[in-house]
Amino acid sequence: MKPSTKFVPRFHFSLFLAGILLLVPALNSYAADAAVEVQLDVKKAAPRAIEELTERGILRDYRFAWTSMAQALQFNTFDPLEGPFSGEAKRWLRQTVTSQQQSGLSHRYRDQNHRVEAVFYSPEGDVVELHDTAQYHLQILDGEKNIHDENVVVHYVVLMTPGADRWTIRQLQAVPQF
Amino acid sequence: MARLVRICAVIYLATACASACAAQDLRVPDSAVAGEETSISTTGSGKATFYLAGPGVSRKNQVALGEQIRLTAQDLGDAGYYLAILCSETCRSASFYVRAGKPASLSFIVHPSRVPVAQNEAVNGVALPFDQYRNLVLAPVIVNFQLKAKDASLFSRAVPTQNGVAWFRTASGKSAGALLVVASLDELTTRRAVQQVASEACNLRITGQRTKTGILVQTEPVHDCSGNVLPDGTIVTFSATGPEGRDTVDAPIKQGIARAQMDSSGATTISVASGVVMGNEIRVGAQP
């Protein structure tokens, strides 16, 4: 039986389409991650000094946590919260998503810029406290309707603890000032 | 023409003013505490949609303008940044912060769980006060740290929290046994236990005697420099050097003493070590 000549281009097109479909979420994720600027200053960390490798880990995981949080609160989904958050921070974020699913609200965080300072690093290295002066564009939507839109500066007190392969945020608490 | 422009301007201003005067507005609390009810006052008339967005809450409901909007304890359980939004034809918003309440629990992390005696800066602890909704209490409070061994107080210090954290670091005690580490804040008390074990051996001494099968060598009771008996299982290494060459035997301490049987028929020199500590050296004569 002679093979169909139409089959080959169709197969290639399907492969191309599948590739695009696989690539889009990755590109989205990258774009969201790239939009989160984080500068970490560890000079004042005490009583234990933060080593360079630890600093890089905290920076990487803190940035990823904000990317994940933005995704969770924009699309009202729990999945992005698995991993970067634990303890109280994870509890209230999950509660926010549940509450948003019921009210129909969603948050959009854009142009995030975080100036983070490590102010405490425990003697055994099992908890780090960060002070984050976060600046971002916050949009709140009721369905498709934009009900709030502004650039805000919010101060966050953050507790992070090391896990098996990453630092997780246990406490994320906004305060009027440090 | 100029008159017409003036009339139009007056009409426009009057319309704008009427619209502004009828527009809704809201006034949020100056300070709010987690888990405590509060309210938001509104101005205007008619109906509006009220939104509250904050940590753990996303509330939407209809309200009558000009009336107070009640925020329940459940709405404000988590400390943080809240946005109140009121929408009728347009939306108005105001933000406020909810701070943590009084300390209701104390998280207390102590390291290590097992520590040799008489070590400088060997025991440390970190205490973090939380309110009943598990918000970190950032207002300064005094945490009292105490270390006790056999009802004797070894260390006591009052430390004010800084950014919600109080910590201490101190030396371990002189005696082996349980060390109770206590952090207290007003009525709150959290206890942790640290096991203090003997430190390195001190004045390690051995005796030896020839037997039919070789040399029986044993330590005197092994103590650290504070007089604590080294725990069972601590390894002591015996090394014998004789005409047959060099032989090494590891033996665990049992009830304070380590013993070993060494095979050597000629004159032998035996030395002993435990960890980094060297003991005495003995010479045992050849088998008659």
Side-chain angles (χ1 to χ4, degrees):
Chain A
M1 199 175 94
K2 196 179 170 186
S4 166
T5 50
K6 284 179 182 174
F7 176 74
V8 174
R10 270 188 196 167
F11 178 69
H12 283 169
F13 179 72
S14 303
L15 270 180
F16 173 72
L17 201 63
I20 291 286
L21 287 172
L22 285 170
L23 202 60
V24 163
L27 284 174
N28 260 344
S29 165
Y30 173 74
D33 196 28
V36 179
E37 291 286 330
V38 182
Q39 293 159 282
L40 175 62
D41 180 357
V42 299
K43 285 196 288 288
K44 287 186 188 165
R48 186 186 175 102
I50 297 179
E51 301 291 336
E52 199 186 326
L53 205 60
T54 309
E55 179 186 348
R56 286 212 296 263
I58 292 171
L59 183 72
R60 176 198 64 209
D61 296 336
Y62 190 67
R63 182 193 287 129
F64 182 65
W66 270 93
T67 306
S68 304
M69 188 178 97
Q71 283 177 351
L73 296 179
Q74 180 173 349
F75 302 111
N76 287 334
T77 172
F78 299 107
D79 291 350
L81 303 175
E82 295 301 326
F85 296 93
S86 58
E88 277 307 295
K90 187 172 174 182
R91 182 202 56 76
W92 75 251
L93 281 166
R94 287 184 66 90
Q95 200 176 313
T96 308
V97 170
T98 305
S99 190
Q100 286 193 165
Q101 285 171 342
Q102 288 160 1
S103 65
L105 298 190
S106 61
H107 280 64
R108 277 186 194 163
Y109 294 89
R110 292 206 321 265
D111 305 327
Q112 291 186 46
N113 196 308
H114 300 262
R115 279 190 295 112
V116 185
E117 188 175 39
V119 294
F120 176 80
Y121 189 35
S122 67
E124 299 293 324
D126 45 13
V127 59
V128 65
E129 180 175 339
L130 309 174
H131 283 182
D132 177 11
T133 302
Q135 197 167 0
Y136 48 79
H137 187 93
L138 175 65
Q139 216 179 354
I140 300 179
L141 295 105
D142 180 0
E144 294 300 311
K145 184 185 165 193
N146 187 1
I147 58 167
H148 182 79
D149 201 332
E150 70 167 336
N151 281 309
V152 288
V153 178
V154 184
H155 302 286
Y156 290 93
V157 171
V158 186
L159 294 180
M160 290 185 89
T161 54
D165 59 349
R166 71 178 80 180
W167 286 81
T168 63
I169 295 182
R170 293 192 78 85
Q171 202 83 23
L172 182 65
Q173 200 169 306
V175 292
Q177 71 267 325
F178 298 127
Chain B
M1 183 63 188
R3 196 174 171 186
L4 185 66
V5 169
R6 266 204 304 273
I7 290 167
C8 287
V10 168
I11 291 168
Y12 174 78
L13 284 172
T15 313
C17 176
S19 167
C21 295
Q24 80 287 1
D25 206 351
L26 73 169
R27 188 182 165 86
V28 293
D30 291 332
S31 75
V33 177
E36 287 184 14
E37 285 189 8
T38 187
S39 61
I40 290 173
S41 57
T42 64
T43 58
S45 57
K47 297 279 181 195
T49 307
F50 172 71
Y51 301 91
L52 181 69
V57 65
S58 177
R59 173 179 153 185
K60 174 188 177 183
N61 59 288
Q62 293 297 307
V63 292
L65 292 173
E67 291 180 5
Q68 298 261 323
I69 301 167
R70 189 170 151 258
L71 303 182
T72 64
Q74 205 181 353
D75 287 334
L76 306 176
D78 291 292
Y81 178 73
Y82 285 73
L83 262 173
I85 305 164
L86 202 54
C87 295
S88 54
E89 283 175 14
T90 57
C91 292
R92 302 295 292 268
S93 65
S95 63
F96 63 100
Y97 285 89
V98 171
R99 62 183 161 84
K102 288 180 186 165
S105 65
L106 202 55
S107 284
F108 189 30
I109 311 158
V110 174
H111 285 291
S113 57
R114 194 174 157 91
V115 65
V117 296
Q119 301 284 307
N120 281 334
E121 301 196 331
V123 182
N124 65 71
V126 176
L128 301 107
F130 290 90
D131 71 4
Q132 62 168 322
Y133 294 92
R134 296 295 296 168
N135 298 301
L136 182 64
V137 178
L138 294 161
V141 290
I142 305 284
V143 178
N144 289 292
F145 294 112
Q146 260 199 313
L147 269 69
K148 294 178 192 169
K150 294 173 187 160
D151 294 331
S153 181
L154 302 178
F155 169 89
S156 179
R157 190 178 293 166
V159 181
T161 57
Q162 211 176 356
N163 300 317
V165 183
W167 70 281
F168 75 91
R169 184 159 49 194
T170 189
S172 55
K174 294 266 188 275
S175 309
L179 176 70
L180 186 65
V181 188
V182 183
S184 55
L185 165 58
D186 299 330
E187 304 298 307
L188 303 170
T189 301
T190 308
R191 293 179 174 83
R192 299 285 179 265
V194 172
Q195 188 64 33
Q196 293 189 123
V197 294
S199 193
E200 296 286 350
C202 201
N203 296 324
L204 185 59
R205 296 193 64 79
I206 50 170
T207 55
Q209 62 185 58
R210 186 161 287 288
T211 62
K212 286 177 188 169
T213 52
I215 301 167
L216 176 67
V217 63
Q218 69 172 39
T219 64
E220 290 177 2
V222 186
H223 296 98
D224 66 9
C225 295
S226 303
N228 300 293
V229 177
L230 261 67
D232 283 6
T234 305
I235 298 296
V236 171
T237 305
F238 299 97
S239 299
T241 310
E244 293 95 344
R246 190 176 163 85
D247 190 18
T248 301
V249 176
D250 285 340
I253 290 175
K254 282 182 189 166
Q255 295 180 328
I257 293 171
R259 289 184 185 85
Q261 179 77 34
M262 310 200 83
D263 300 328
S264 178
S265 52
T268 307
T269 303
I270 301 171
S271 63
V272 64
S274 176
V276 294
V277 177
M278 295 291 293
N280 65 325
E281 210 174 69
I282 57 168
R283 270 189 70 82
V284 180
Q287 207 161 25

